[in-house]
Amino acid sequence: MIYCGIDWAEKTHDVAMVDHTGTLVAKRHITDDAAGYKVLLDLLAEHGDTEDNPVPIAIETSRGLLVAVLRTGRRKVYAINPMAAARYRDRHSVSRKKSDPGDALVLANILRTDMHAHRPLPDDTDLARAIAVLARAQQDATCNRQTIANQLRSLLREYYPAALAAVEPWKNGLCRPEAHALLKGRPHPQPRGSPDPHTAPSHPQARRTPAWHRGGGRPVAPGAGAAAPRR
């Protein structure tokens, strides 16, 4: 029985293969393209990989073109949690130094010793995989938006707290188009003689009502008219 581990990276991957005794039988450095995938297939075929009995593969991600191609057919692909792989690494080495070839060997040995404790990626249909890609993209976009909003909130608290107070009553206020319009109307601060950030909303450019209606073509939120002088 042969087991394969792939240490995934953005442009290149390290591949290691071990037998049932844990002996390293092959290793290779491949690129993340069609040529690299062909090298991987040839390497697997040299060590008994067939359509009816494919070599199982462990990798630290469930995404990417390489994983998508490996999941075709009857091959079992195991997405190992990076934290779990780090614990296995500590069993084989006292050094905490990361090594890509060594990580590929660790992944292969994870399947050799504990394949029963890990679940392979499901044999989804093309439609199910497409839905998973869209759902993951939506989740990533939401997380990125929240991260950027938190960074903006921190900057406004320090340099322009009045704008932060203006959007505070709204849910996800900094992500609304009205907030974007307000920040666009704010003049850039000058090194000297810039207005006090606490009194910035009294600046003529910040008082322009049409700026609120330019926020994506949407009307101002209910109750915004009563609070307009404060803003």
Side-chain angles (χ1 to χ4, degrees):
M1 187 68 180
I2 298 295
Y3 306 90
C4 178
I6 301 178
D7 185 76
W8 180 89
E10 183 177 352
K11 296 182 179 180
T12 59
H13 317 297
D14 283 282
V15 180
M17 301 177 65
V18 300
D19 60 13
H20 66 284
T21 65
T23 303
L24 179 65
V25 297
K27 63 178 181 178
R28 195 67 56 86
H29 189 74
I30 64 173
T31 55
D32 187 41
D33 52 19
Y37 181 66
K38 183 178 184 305
V39 172
L40 175 60
L41 288 183
D42 293 341
L43 185 65
L44 292 171
E46 291 175 8
H47 294 85
D49 180 77
T50 62
E51 184 177 354
D52 295 331
N53 187 28
V55 172
I57 294 178
I59 189 170
E60 287 183 320
T61 181
S62 60
R63 310 181 187 184
L65 180 61
L66 178 64
V67 175
V69 177
L70 288 174
R71 292 179 66 183
T72 58
R74 300 176 56 185
R75 188 183 309 283
K76 296 297 182 182
V77 179
Y78 295 79
I80 307 298
N81 188 295
M83 295 184 63
R87 300 296 181 269
Y88 278 97
R89 189 187 306 119
D90 294 340
R91 294 169 51 183
H92 296 276
S93 174
V94 296
S95 174
R96 294 183 179 273
K97 182 178 180 182
K98 189 181 186 324
S99 169
D100 293 342
D103 288 348
L105 180 60
V106 168
L107 290 170
N109 278 303
I110 288 176
L111 292 187
R112 181 180 65 86
T113 59
D114 296 311
M115 181 187 292
H116 62 279
H118 298 277
R119 185 173 60 181
L121 295 176
D123 297 329
D124 294 331
T125 63
D126 292 341
L127 179 59
R129 294 180 187 178
I131 294 175
V133 169
L134 292 176
R136 189 178 298 115
Q138 192 272 343
Q139 182 182 17
D140 291 344
T142 301
C143 293
N144 292 337
R145 184 188 68 174
Q146 189 60 48
T147 299
I148 295 173
N150 291 340
Q151 294 174 352
L152 178 59
R153 183 184 305 277
S154 178
L155 292 172
L156 290 177
R157 184 180 291 111
E158 183 173 358
Y159 296 105
Y160 194 11
L164 188 61
V167 300
E168 185 176 0
W170 297 337
K171 182 179 180 181
N172 296 325
L174 289 178
C175 300
R176 297 174 64 95
E178 295 88 349
H180 300 171
L182 173 65
L183 295 177
K184 286 180 181 179
R186 172 72 167 95
H188 294 288
Q190 302 297 326
R192 294 183 180 180
S194 58
D196 184 354
H198 293 277
T199 61
S202 64
H203 193 278
Q205 283 187 292
R207 291 203 307 268
R208 292 179 181 175
T209 303
W212 292 93
H213 298 277
R214 292 199 302 268
R218 301 180 185 180
V220 178
R230 178 171 63 86
R231 293 194 173 88

